[in-house]
């Protein structure tokens, strides 16, 4: 089972950037952890027939009525939860871990921070970052392979606009 985890696309139109379009075709399930921004963007992902999604804080009112705030589903014997904003801190994942335990899931996929994260403890916390508007990171998604009950997530950088602070930091490095 191949799952593409994505979040915070913030696309106003329904056109998925070619930088990660190919990944949609390669996966069995697409998990979007909110902030499509527009109904057109949501409809494009939904047209694949593979989408599991929640709404985010920047989604339009139509999407907030259409999509849940939280979603739990099971595949290959693994319970996966999706939320957009699971914690106020980008450094402390304690609240996210407790949310995963409260939801009764093995994996919690969340968004909002626009920065990729994979943290493994008694649950697996995954933030795919953002493929279009990253913060403190390069554009990214997360691919999750589930084989024989093993959950194998990995961050995949995609082409696109990098966060300005990362560009600035790299420019400083290159000047040395």
């Amino acid at each position: 089972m191949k799952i593409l985890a994505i979040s915070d696309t913030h696309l106003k139109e329904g056109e998925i950037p070619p930088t990660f379009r190919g990944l949609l075709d390669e996966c069995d399930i697409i998990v979007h952890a909110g902030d499509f921004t527009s109904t057109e963007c949501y409809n494009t992902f939904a047209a694949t027939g593979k989408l599991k999604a929640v709404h985010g804080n920047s989604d339009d009112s139509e999407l907030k009525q259409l999509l849940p705030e939280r979603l739990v589903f099971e595949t290959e014997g693994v319970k996966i939860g999706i939320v957009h904003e699971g914690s106020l801190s980008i450094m402390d994942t304690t609240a996210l871990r407790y949310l995963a335990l409260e939801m009764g899931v093995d994996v919690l996929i969340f968004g909002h921070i626009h920065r990729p994260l994979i943290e493994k403890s008694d649950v697996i916390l995954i933030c795919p970052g953002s493929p279009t508007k990253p913060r403190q990171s390069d554009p990214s998604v997360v691919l999750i392979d589930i084989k024989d009950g093993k959950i194998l997530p990995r961050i995949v950088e995609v082409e696109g606009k990098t966060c300005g602070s990362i560009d600035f930091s790299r420019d400083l490095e290159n000047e040395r």
Side-chain angles (χ1 to χ4, degrees):
M1 175 67 56
K2 284 187 180 279
I3 299 172
L4 172 65
I6 193 166
S7 184
D8 298 285
T9 47
H10 292 276
L11 297 171
K12 300 210 182 304
E13 295 87 32
E15 186 69 30
I16 296 173
T19 55
F20 63 92
R21 175 75 195 165
L23 294 172
L24 301 179
D25 299 331
E26 296 173 16
C27 67
D28 301 303
I29 297 172
I30 300 165
V31 170
H32 197 299
D35 278 1
F36 293 92
T37 303
S38 70
T39 304
E40 292 81 8
C41 177
Y42 164 77
N43 288 338
T44 301
F45 280 99
T48 65
K50 304 175 185 183
L51 184 63
K52 307 260 186 215
V54 297
H55 71 76
N57 62 298
S58 293
D59 285 324
D60 64 27
S61 60
E62 186 178 342
L63 285 175
K64 287 181 179 176
Q65 290 179 350
L66 178 68
L67 296 171
E69 186 175 337
R70 294 181 182 183
L71 180 68
V72 174
F73 70 97
E74 188 170 334
T75 185
E76 303 282 321
V78 175
K79 287 182 91 176
I80 299 173
I82 314 168
V83 298
H84 179 65
E85 189 175 352
S87 172
L88 295 176
S89 173
I90 62 171
M91 303 307 284
D92 183 359
T93 58
T94 304
L96 288 161
R97 180 181 164 271
Y98 282 120
L99 179 59
L101 294 172
E102 175 188 313
M103 292 173 70
V105 297
D106 304 302
V107 177
L108 180 63
I109 300 170
F110 64 98
H112 194 62
I113 63 173
H114 292 235
R115 195 161 116 189
L117 168 93
I118 297 173
E119 185 175 293
K120 298 177 183 180
S121 62
D122 51 342
V123 295
I124 299 175
L125 304 175
I126 297 174
C127 181
S130 173
T132 54
K133 296 199 181 291
R135 290 184 193 142
Q136 302 292 310
S137 66
D138 289 308
S140 62
V141 298
V142 169
L143 289 175
I144 306 164
D145 285 316
I146 300 176
K147 293 180 183 177
D148 302 320
K150 291 190 183 202
I151 306 160
L152 306 166
R154 63 186 166 95
I155 296 168
V156 176
E157 289 183 3
V158 296
E159 287 184 40
K161 186 178 179 205
T162 300
C163 173
S165 63
I166 296 294
D167 288 337
F168 178 73
S169 175
R170 287 180 179 148
D171 288 345
L172 288 176
E173 281 292 316
N174 290 334
E175 289 178 7
R176 287 185 182 185

